[in-house]
Amino acid sequence: MRRFMALALCAVCILAWSGAAFAQQKLVKVPTCWMDSSEAFNIWYAKEKGWDKEEGMDIEMLLFGSGPAQMEALPAKQWVMGGTGVGGVLIGGMRYDISLIAPVIDESEVNAFYVRADSPILKTKGFNPAYPDVYGSPDAVKGKTILLTSQTTSHYIVGKWLEILGLKEGDVKITNMEQSSIVAAFEKGIGDAASVWAPFTFTCESRGWVKAGSTGTTKANTATVLVGDKKWCNEHPELTAKFLRVYFRASKAMRVAANADEIVKAYQKFMSDFCGTKMSVTDAKNDLAVHPRWTLDEALKLNSGSNSSDMAKWQVEAATFFTKMGRFSPAELEKFKKADLVTDKFLKIAAEKPLQ
């Protein structure tokens, strides 16, 4: 009898182990790319909750310093989907084969450029009447050194600023730096203006530096978006849709309770563990506030899947602007326009059943 019970118990243990192993084997590893910024929180938070596993995935998060750096890793198949900004979209659309699968964050107040409180740039506001909240004049800005991260949104808004003032990039000195280095250099007195994105904007403001312009005030329409390797996404439409469901499930939770203690504490931990940035409760709340998440329904409206959609228009505007600045060739711009970049087919699959 004892021998029978022992054998039965052993069989149960083997079955349990086999079941667990089988369940683990069913999880599909999905490598994804991110920067040290707010959009990555959705997946980080979802992984903490186990939501990716509920969709049968094990989403891996890889960290990159900029959008262009993300795209340079695509040919090596380091990732198949992820979040990026205007720089990543332009490089990916012109030189690699990506799809823009969803807009996720409105960047109206995410990006800004700052000057010191005693800067002569602040003597003039609204030089161009069409941009009444932008500081600076041609004489005050010409010849100045501007710190930014090349071919990113921080670069885009500086280019718009110069255009607003009737200047060209050759009229100023552009210094390319990573975001964290920009703040450190500006603090040491290097440069006359610093173009950064949140949460570095909060550091700038805490130093008493003055916002001379932003994504919103320069009317540089941009958004943080989810992109994917076009070939991989087309071959794995269900997995792509599941990834979107995981992402927008977190967006839904944040829209319901963005300032809840649990969300704020999780955001602080994300910033510390994934981004390497210590953030106070106040800054965490502010960072969440300036990164409003779109819902799945809102993303569908913005990403209608045609060249006439808002998202497609915004990307072409940015691509055209950088081409005028000499960053891309006319041939690359034409390729970008014909790339069939924006698609809503994966969003539609994701929306076939309600999010939890």
Side-chain angles (χ1 to χ4, degrees), residues 53-310:
K53 291 179 172 57
E54 290 181 21
E55 293 284 358
M57 296 183 294
D58 178 12
I59 298 176
E60 299 175 317
M61 298 182 71
L62 304 176
L63 181 62
F64 293 86
S66 67
Q70 291 173 316
M71 298 305 137
E72 289 167 7
L74 183 57
K77 304 299 181 183
Q78 291 186 32
W79 56 269
V80 295
M81 290 181 288
T84 195
V86 65
V89 172
L90 298 187
I91 296 291
M94 291 183 183
R95 299 175 184 172
Y96 305 100
D97 206 12
I98 66 166
S99 286
L100 194 164
I101 57 177
V104 291
I105 295 176
D106 180 358
E107 290 190 346
S108 297
E109 296 304 320
V110 172
N111 314 279
F113 46 91
Y114 291 82
V115 297
R116 298 181 185 86
D118 60 353
S119 172
I121 291 172
L122 295 175
K123 291 181 179 179
T124 305
K125 184 178 182 182
F127 170 82
N128 186 330
Y131 303 86
D133 296 317
V134 175
Y135 284 92
S137 65
D139 290 340
V141 174
K142 193 171 184 179
K144 294 295 188 288
T145 298
I146 304 172
L147 313 182
L148 52 77
T149 305
S150 183
Q151 295 183 346
T152 65
T153 313
S154 74
H155 193 168
Y156 186 28
I157 60 174
V158 166
K160 291 285 288 184
W161 182 33
L162 298 176
E163 183 181 64
I164 288 165
L165 300 179
L167 298 174
K168 297 180 180 179
E169 193 167 296
D171 293 322
V172 298
K173 298 174 184 177
I174 297 293
T175 300
N176 178 32
M177 291 183 172
E178 294 297 330
Q179 288 285 292
S180 57
S181 300
I182 289 173
V183 175
F186 204 60
E187 196 165 29
K188 292 178 181 177
I190 299 171
D192 301 291
S195 185
V196 296
W197 54 67
F200 300 102
T201 50
F202 307 138
T203 305
C204 290
E205 288 166 11
S206 72
R207 301 294 189 271
W209 302 333
V210 181
K211 184 188 296 184
S214 67
T215 314
T217 62
T218 60
K219 301 179 184 178
N221 293 319
T222 61
T224 303
V225 299
L226 299 180
V227 296
D229 180 314
K230 184 177 288 185
K231 184 174 183 293
W232 189 93
C233 291
N234 286 334
E235 290 175 350
H236 303 88
E238 292 297 331
L239 277 176
T240 304
K242 286 180 177 182
F243 170 76
L244 292 175
R245 290 182 58 78
V246 171
Y247 195 95
F248 282 102
R249 182 175 177 180
S251 293
K252 179 181 177 181
M254 294 165 69
R255 284 286 283 265
V256 171
N259 284 324
D261 288 343
E262 191 264 341
I263 295 284
V264 174
K265 287 178 181 177
Y267 197 78
Q268 286 179 286
K269 190 173 189 301
F270 153 76
M271 274 293 170
S272 175
D273 293 357
F274 186 74
C275 302
T277 301
K278 297 293 183 183
M279 184 173 280
S280 67
V281 170
T282 299
D283 281 352
K285 289 181 177 180
N286 287 338
D287 205 32
L288 287 166
V290 300
H291 288 93
R293 266 69 173 170
W294 280 309
T295 64
L296 179 55
D297 287 342
E298 289 168 340
L300 273 166
K301 291 176 182 177
L302 287 166
N303 223 53
S304 65
S306 70
N307 289 333
S308 62
S309 69
D310 288 340

Side-chain angles (χ1 to χ4, degrees), residues 326-342:
R327 295 288 169 169
F328 301 110
S329 69
E332 286 178 314
L333 175 60
E334 286 307 307
K335 178 184 176 183
F336 186 81
K337 289 179 178 179
K338 297 175 182 178
D340 194 23
L341 180 71
V342 176

Side-chain angles (χ1 to χ4, degrees), residues 12-29:
V12 169
C13 290
I14 290 172
L15 286 172
W17 178 85
S18 299
F22 179 71
Q24 186 65 28
Q25 288 173 358
K26 288 199 301 183
L27 294 179
V28 179
K29 286 191 179 296

